[in-house]
Amino acid sequence: MKAEHYVGGVFRSDGPSFPLIAPVDGSELGTVPEATREVVDDAVTAAQRALRGPWGATGAEERAAALRAVADGIQARFDEFVDAEVADTGRPRDFARTVDVPRAIGNFRAYADLLYGRPERAYTTQVPGWSAGTGQALNYTVRRPLGVVAIISPWNLPLLLSTWKIAPALACGNAVVLKPSEETPSTATLLARVIDDAGLSDGAFNLVHGHGPAAAGEFLTGHPGVDAIAFTGESATGAAIMRNAADHVTPVSFELGGKNPALVFADADLDAAVDGTVRSSFTHSGQICLCTERVYVDRPIFDEFVVRLGERASALDGYGPMISAAHRDKVLSYYRLARDEGATVVAGGGAPAFGDERDTGFHVEPTVLTGLPETARTVREEVFGPVCHVAPFDTEDEALALANDSPYGLASTVWTRDLSRAHRVAPRVETGIVWVNCWNLRDLRTPFGGVKASGIGREGGEYSLDFFSEPVNVCIQI
Ligand code: NAD
């Protein structure tokens, strides 16, 4: 798979490049072009031109047809998308086959379906005797695209998370410039091929590759021609983008980091809670923003829970490597820090030795820790690896206080069989998403996003359309 930019309907890979490394064994997969400021300028100009040209004149029906053609195009190249996502991320093939690629197809289909309901619907309201006292008026509201939307996506769910923004942005009639993570350029390039084949107007969708700071990401998010920024990634990167966007008062939609808590009450179904925590802490080796890194357990079941979670973590195999050598080193540095901070390592705590080609890849062990104070950096900072710290609590209020004592607020899980407790606790957990007796059970129409340092705004269903279009009120005196 050769990574290429896609600008104004043309594929190009001029300029400098950098190597793409396979996380599973450290081998070189190919090279990626690094977009210069000129390439980013060209992409923004192409997007502006598309808005002034045929793309800007499309109606909802045409855009819905375009989104369906893209969904069909991904479906037709399903295996290529799976291969590319597996190669770039090292994730289990089954995960790409059952989650990444189907969800990308679903994102385009869902927004094609939603189009007829929303962005171009006029809400009309008769307002008699309005404030000037001059009689009746008819107010109606139309939704207008924002213009050129910059989309910056991370490496952990490359295709899924970028299409989660691209589809609603295009649905609303915006033109898009996507900059995927430098670690995972391949499915974005394939998507550009599909969009090209689907016949979207030149410049409606543009793709530039490259790094973030002082590179393509920064050139794009600080560009005066960009009308909105939709970003998923680390909270610190969100802050940097916000500073960069401030000069042009560019609106932002942010899905950022987390330090997600799980609350396990003594009345929970213990088997389900252990199973659920294994999934929520270790799926994709903890490299999902929704993964649990802090587990708070009712004291009567604390010891048994820790033993069972530790046994399950030690027996895990095949959740895939860390994305890069740098990220592997970061996760291992937290394992060392946890020991220095006084943690008991119940399971894992290092890098595995397989005795095969995986030993040159970027693998770490699923790790369960106990015994740290809540002030420990390992308990407060996002590691983004297969690790959780388990601590006991004595009362419901204490559990809530522990869960909420975090700068982050993305997702949480509550394990209890007491219905009243579930309803009492869930609204009091300071996260944008609360799962009760489950994890990562997603209905794509529901609001998705974080509070505090975990994000700004909501995505999902009509919530995404709200960000990617702007209501304009028209008032006509009668
Ligand atoms: P990252 O912030 O390092 O990078 C994300 C993207 O931002 C990349 O494309 C990168 O090139 C770009 N970037 C970096 N610095 C930039 C800058 N100064 N200006 C413009 N662009 C810049 O994040 P990552 O390591 O790729 O992803 C992991 C992080 O993403 C974790 O913190 C995780 O919690 C978070 N995440 C959040 C969600 C969510 O929905 N809330 C989902 C997935 C991942």
Side-chain angles (χ1 to χ4, degrees):
M1 175 75 234
K2 182 168 176 277
E4 289 173 298
H5 309 305
Y6 179 61
V7 175
V10 176
F11 287 90
R12 57 193 264 195
S13 49
D14 45 305
S17 64
F18 58 94
L20 178 63
I21 303 296
V24 72
D25 60 5
S27 62
E28 190 171 318
L29 289 167
T31 56
V32 187
E34 174 80 51
T36 57
R37 205 181 274 281
E38 287 67 38
V39 172
V40 172
D41 275 347
D42 288 352
V44 173
T45 304
Q48 289 172 323
R49 205 176 297 129
L51 290 167
R52 287 194 302 270
W55 181 249
T58 53
E61 196 172 349
E62 272 171 283
R63 292 204 298 279
L67 295 184
R68 291 205 175 89
V70 174
D72 292 345
I74 301 173
Q75 183 73 57
R77 301 178 74 164
F78 193 96
D79 289 339
E80 281 176 80
F81 275 94
V82 170
D83 290 346
E85 206 72 314
V86 169
D88 279 9
T89 62
R91 64 189 1 61
R93 198 174 175 77
D94 203 43
F95 191 90
R97 231 176 30 76
T98 57
V99 180
D100 296 294
V101 183
R103 270 282 299 277
I105 295 168
N107 287 339
F108 282 101
R109 295 233 159 95
Y111 283 102
D113 291 344
L114 261 176
L115 257 190
Y116 285 101
R118 190 62 189 278
E120 293 178 354
R121 187 165 75 196
Y123 299 104
T124 49
T125 335
Q126 295 272 359
V127 186
W130 62 310
S131 56
T134 49
Q136 290 194 332
L138 173 69
N139 281 277
Y140 69 93
T141 306
V142 289
R143 288 214 155 246
R144 194 160 65 188
L146 299 171
V148 177
V149 173
I151 296 177
I152 310 275
S153 52
W155 48 259
N156 67 327
L157 296 159
L159 182 66
L160 189 160
L161 289 177
S162 59
T163 54
W164 178 235
K165 298 180 195 302
I166 296 165
L170 292 176
C172 292
N174 300 285
V176 167
V177 181
L178 168 68
K179 195 210 77 67
S181 169
E182 57 277 17
E183 314 276 7
T184 52
S186 299
T187 46
T189 308
L190 263 179
L191 180 69
R193 288 273 165 209
V194 163
I195 287 176
D196 194 59
D197 291 344
L200 265 72
S201 317
D202 290 349
F205 173 81
N206 305 274
L207 166 67
V208 295
H209 293 287
H211 290 76
E218 205 173 299
F219 303 154
L220 183 59
T221 51
H223 200 291
V226 165
D227 299 298
I229 299 167
F231 167 72
T232 298
E234 283 185 24
S235 300
T237 309
I241 289 176
M242 220 170 170
R243 280 191 289 273
N244 203 15
D247 280 346
H248 304 108
V249 201
T250 314
V252 296
S253 161
F254 278 174
E255 301 291 353
L256 306 178
K259 188 72 182 176
N260 306 309
L263 304 182
V264 185
F265 290 93
D267 57 41
D269 175 337
L270 195 56
D271 290 342
V274 171
D275 271 353
T277 307
V278 169
R279 279 188 61 233
S280 75
S281 290
F282 303 123
T283 297
H284 194 17
S285 292
Q287 298 171 110
I288 297 179
C289 54
L290 307 167
C291 280
T292 305
E293 291 194 7
R294 298 180 293 142
V295 187
Y296 299 105
V297 183
D298 230 343
R299 199 172 298 273
I301 58 165
F302 177 78
D303 290 340
E304 185 182 351
F305 184 93
V306 169
V307 168
R308 289 177 60 175
L309 187 67
E311 286 171 359
R312 291 285 300 279
S314 302
L316 282 175
D317 190 19
Y319 268 171
M322 301 293 95
I323 188 67
S324 61
H327 192 52
R328 185 251 338 256
D329 294 347
K330 175 186 161 187
V331 173
L332 290 177
S333 79
Y334 273 103
Y335 289 3
R336 280 192 299 277
L337 175 68
R339 283 196 177 85
D340 293 346
E341 290 180 317
T344 300
V345 180
V346 178
F354 297 104
D356 57 32
E357 69 282 355
R358 286 175 294 174
D359 287 342
T360 51
F362 313 134
H363 302 264
V364 303
E365 289 174 333
T367 294
V368 177
L369 306 168
T370 58
L372 287 173
E374 288 298 302
T375 49
R377 279 182 52 205
T378 316
V379 179
R380 298 202 69 77
E381 297 173 12
E382 182 185 45
V383 180
F384 216 54
V387 58
C388 63
H389 178 257
V390 195
F393 66 81
D394 290 301
T395 65
E396 195 174 290
D397 280 347
E398 187 194 358
L400 277 162
L402 290 165
N404 291 341
D405 181 17
S406 169
Y408 293 106
L410 185 55
S412 55
T413 50
V414 178
W415 298 92
T416 177
R417 276 188 287 214
D418 180 336
L419 196 58
S420 296
R421 189 199 297 277
H423 286 296
R424 208 165 48 233
V425 168
R428 293 177 63 202
V429 189
E430 292 169 2
T431 57
I433 304 152
V434 184
W435 278 293
V436 177
N437 296 329
C438 59
W439 175 74
N440 205 4
L441 188 57
R442 293 273 297 117
D443 180 323
L444 302 185
R445 294 166 299 185
T446 60
F448 179 94
V451 301
K452 301 196 263 188
S454 289
I456 297 178
R458 291 292 176 273
E459 298 187 305
E462 300 217 351
Y463 296 91
S464 297
L465 300 183
D466 279 344
F467 175 73
F468 288 115
S469 64
E470 205 141 42
V472 177
N473 191 65
V474 181
C475 177
I476 298 173
Q477 187 169 21
I478 298 170

